């Protein structure tokens, strides 16, 4: 009996600790019950304002202009789609749009990938300034890019004066301008990932007997694949929807879908054809963005599997120094030379004559002196930046958690659509749709900032989202447990950590808003022109004075964008080189 008691008593003594554990169990029970409910509710609340904004100022105008073109005498004419696509000139536009986008993407990858390697693996003096210089073309308005290459390759341009060579009316001018514009996309997207790959993996393959090229092909290239694919898709998207560059350099011979939509809308007034082309471009852009979202998810998975602590080293050996020299020469010729020629052409008149002419309205192109376009653009861009920060900040906060469902991922894709859908259609849709109460905004100044903010929001989201996702969620949970409201959690936990990213997002939104052209060309009034609209209208008028003033305004716009980018580079905390 005593033995029985000795066996039972330890069990009785061991039970109280087991009985004391249940009070600790509500913690895991409470977290699954409260986090999804509050998280989903807060996410939906954050999404409400961006969804309403995009619904009113993007989906509604695009749907209105499309319906205006396809609904004839109160009847939907979907058969018009086949009739338009059967036209030989429209098929030529579709073919050229696709062909030049593929050629531009391939040429950009060929030229920019060596630059991505140099920025990822080499450390040299002036690297940060050079990275800003490389990024300047990306935020320049397409009108300025077209004007710069016109000054370099057009009649009376540098090549024409030196060797009698003109490329302004050939497809080569368009392709080179697209490389100029998208070089930074490849360098910063691919280079950002390349700098986080551990070079010891490739070195291990070399030790095992693989050649340098075989080691790169079998080890590094598969890891870079998602980033290269994402960069290629973005370049293809930007060149597929190219407007300002093709409008200036293509002339009457070459037209992309975007240029043809503008021509059908503003010159021929054939809204039916323009609506069909808008739908075609919308479907193509949707497919591109879907593939791009898939590549981005693959890239995020790859980033979690590699060592991100690798630092760049100074070039070693004649081969690496030769590669660095080749990349620097490419940047100088392809990126710096067109901008330098643009500045030189703006100074052709003695005594800053073209700049002084901007203060006069004797030309009759505008109701005000062209110089007033500078102040108008700055005011519009500041207002657009405030709107983009509000909408983009709320959207980024809603997308912070990675375990979002299909609804949230669809919302993320919606935010990217303004980068690919015809800006011409959006601008003309503003005039058609926003002309009745309670949205009678056609005569108000806010119409231009609203159109510009649509382009700025994606840059705000893409800049802030990685930083918000990097914030430890346990800090938010701890603040919520202590009784802080969601607004106070954002103000005291998230904001101090993302303040610098917020400034960078504001800079990008300001730069792209300043250069928006496709939609603004329709809604900017003659007494309040923006800089891109003023440049395009000056280039559309014959005469040396008009051409010189266009060069002067383009130079002013370029300087403003360059200063903004240099400030952004100083604000950056990370040096991986990604956007």
């Amino acid at each position: 009996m005593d033995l029985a008691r000795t066996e039972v008593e330890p069990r009785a003594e061991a039970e109280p600790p087991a009985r004391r554990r249940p009070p600790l169990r509500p913690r895991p029970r409470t977290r699954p019950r409260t986090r999804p409910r509050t998280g989903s509710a807060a996410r939906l609340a954050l999404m409400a304002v961006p969804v309403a904004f995009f619904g009113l100022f993007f989906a509604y105008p695009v749907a209105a202009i499309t319906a205006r073109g396809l609904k004839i005498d109160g009847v939907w004419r979907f058969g018009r789609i086949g009739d338009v696509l059967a036209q030989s000139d429209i098929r030529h536009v579709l073919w050229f749009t696709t062909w030049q986008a593929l050629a531009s993407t391939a040429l950009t990858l060929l030229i920019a990938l060596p630059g991505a390697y140099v920025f990822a693996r080499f450390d040299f003096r002036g690297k940060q300034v050079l990275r800003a210089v490389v990024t300047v073309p990306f935020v320049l308005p397409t009108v300025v890019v077209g004007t710069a290459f016109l000054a370099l390759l057009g009649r009376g341009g540098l090549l024409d004066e030196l060797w009698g060579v003109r490329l302004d009316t050939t497809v080569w001018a368009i392709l080179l301008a697209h490389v100029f514009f998208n070089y930074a996309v490849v360098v910063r997207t691919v280079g950002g990932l390349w700098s986080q790959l551990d070079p010891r993996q490739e070195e291990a393959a070399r030790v095992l007997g693989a050649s340098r090229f075989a080691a790169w092909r079998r080890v590094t290239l598969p890891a870079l694949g998602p980033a290269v694919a994402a960069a290629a898709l973005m370049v293809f998207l930007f060149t597929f929807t190219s407007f300002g560059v093709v409008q200036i350099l293509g002339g009457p011979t070459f037209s992309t879908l975007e240029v043809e939509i503008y021509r059908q809308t503003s010159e021929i007034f054939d809204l039916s054809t323009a609506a069909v082309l808008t739908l075609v471009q919308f479907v193509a852009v949707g497919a591109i963005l879907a593939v791009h979202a898939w590549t981005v998810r693959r890239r995020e998975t790859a980033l979690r599997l590699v060592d991100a602590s690798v630092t760049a080293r100074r070039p070693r050996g004649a081969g690496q120094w030769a590669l660095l020299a080749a990349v620097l020469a490419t940047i100088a010729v392809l990126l710096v030379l067109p901008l330098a020629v643009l500045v030189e052409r703006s100074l052709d008149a003695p005594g800053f004559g073209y700049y002084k002419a901007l203060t006069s309205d004797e030309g009759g192109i505008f109701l005000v002196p062209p110089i007033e376009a500078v102040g108008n653009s700055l005011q519009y861009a500041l207002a657009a930046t405030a709107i983009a920060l509000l909408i983009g900040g709320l959207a980024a906060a809603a997308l912070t958690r990675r375990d979002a469902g299909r609804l949230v991922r669809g919302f993320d894709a919606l935010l990217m659509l303004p980068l690919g859908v015809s800006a011409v259609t959006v601008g003309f849709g503003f005039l058609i749709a926003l002309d009745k109460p309670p949205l009678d905004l056609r005569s108000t100044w806010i119409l231009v900032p609203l159109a510009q903010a649509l382009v700025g929001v994606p840059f705000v989201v893409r800049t802030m989202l990685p930083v918000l996702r990097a914030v430890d969620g346990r800090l938010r949970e701890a603040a919520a447990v202590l009784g802080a409201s969601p607004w106070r959690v954002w103000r005291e936990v998230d904001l101090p950590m993302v303040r610098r990213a917020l400034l960078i997002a504001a800079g990008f939104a300001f730069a792209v808003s300043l250069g928006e052209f496709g939609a603004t060309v329709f809604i900017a009034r003659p007494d309040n022109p923006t800089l891109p609209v003023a440049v395009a209208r000056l280039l559309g008028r014959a005469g040396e004075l008009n051409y010189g003033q266009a060069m002067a305004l383009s130079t002013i716009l370029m300087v403003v964008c360059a200063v903004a980018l240099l400030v952004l580079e100083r604000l950056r905390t990370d040096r991986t080189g990604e956007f």
Side-chain angles (χ1 to χ4, degrees), residues 179-195:
V179 175
F180 170 91
F181 187 77
N182 294 290
Y183 186 91
V185 176
V186 177
V187 167
R188 301 187 75 121
T189 302
V190 180
L193 176 59
W194 210 333
S195 65

Side-chain angles (χ1 to χ4, degrees), residues 121-145:
R121 293 302 194 207
F122 293 170
D123 185 21
F124 52 91
R125 185 175 299 178
K127 180 178 177 179
Q128 299 306 324
V129 175
L130 190 63
R131 180 179 282 121
V133 171
V134 167
T135 312
V136 166
F138 178 72
V139 299
L140 282 180
T142 55
V143 173
V144 175
V145 176

Side-chain angles (χ1 to χ4, degrees), residues 46-100:
L46 291 171
M47 289 171 55
V49 175
V51 168
F53 177 81
F54 275 82
L56 286 176
F57 301 115
F58 177 70
Y60 176 51
V62 172
I65 191 64
T66 304
R68 180 70 65 92
L70 292 180
K71 196 173 184 180
I72 303 174
D73 297 330
V75 180
W76 288 94
R77 305 289 186 179
F78 292 107
R80 180 64 179 158
I81 297 176
D83 296 338
V84 171
L85 297 181
Q87 299 176 18
S88 59
D89 55 339
I90 297 299
R91 290 201 303 270
H92 175 75
V93 170
L94 291 173
W95 174 85
F96 177 74
T97 301
T98 306
W99 179 88
Q100 64 83 25

Side-chain angles (χ1 to χ4, degrees), residues 58 62 65 140-144 181 238 241-248 256-263 265-266 278 281 418-431 447-448 450-456 511-524 530-537 557:
F58 177 70
V62 172
I65 191 64
L140 282 180
T142 55
V143 173
V144 175
F181 187 77
F238 291 141
T241 58
S242 181
F243 177 57
V245 169
V246 181
Q247 176 79 357
I248 293 175
T256 57
L257 271 174
E258 188 82 356
V259 175
E260 188 64 21
I261 292 171
Y262 174 77
R263 192 173 72 89
T265 302
S266 63
T278 298
Q281 183 167 317
L419 294 180
V421 174
S422 171
V424 172
T425 301
V426 174
F428 197 62
F430 270 31
L431 298 181
L447 204 61
V448 173
L450 287 173
Q452 294 174 342
L454 286 172
V455 184
V512 298
S513 300
L514 197 66
E516 204 288 321
F517 175 62
T520 310
V521 70
F522 280 99
I523 57 182
T530 63
L531 273 171
V533 172
V535 171
R537 291 180 181 173
L557 191 50

Side-chain angles (χ1 to χ4, degrees), residues 200-218:
R200 292 174 295 183
Q201 297 177 359
E202 189 173 323
E203 294 171 0
R206 294 286 309 281
V207 170
L208 293 175
S211 64
R212 184 181 297 274
F213 177 74
W216 180 83
R217 180 173 57 87
R218 296 180 181 179

Side-chain angles (χ1 to χ4, degrees), residues 146-172:
T147 305
F149 275 82
L150 190 65
L152 178 64
L153 307 176
R155 176 178 297 177
L158 182 64
L159 294 186
D160 190 16
E161 290 182 353
L162 295 178
W163 299 294
V165 176
R166 287 182 55 196
L167 298 176
D168 59 319
T169 57
T170 70
V171 71
W172 275 109

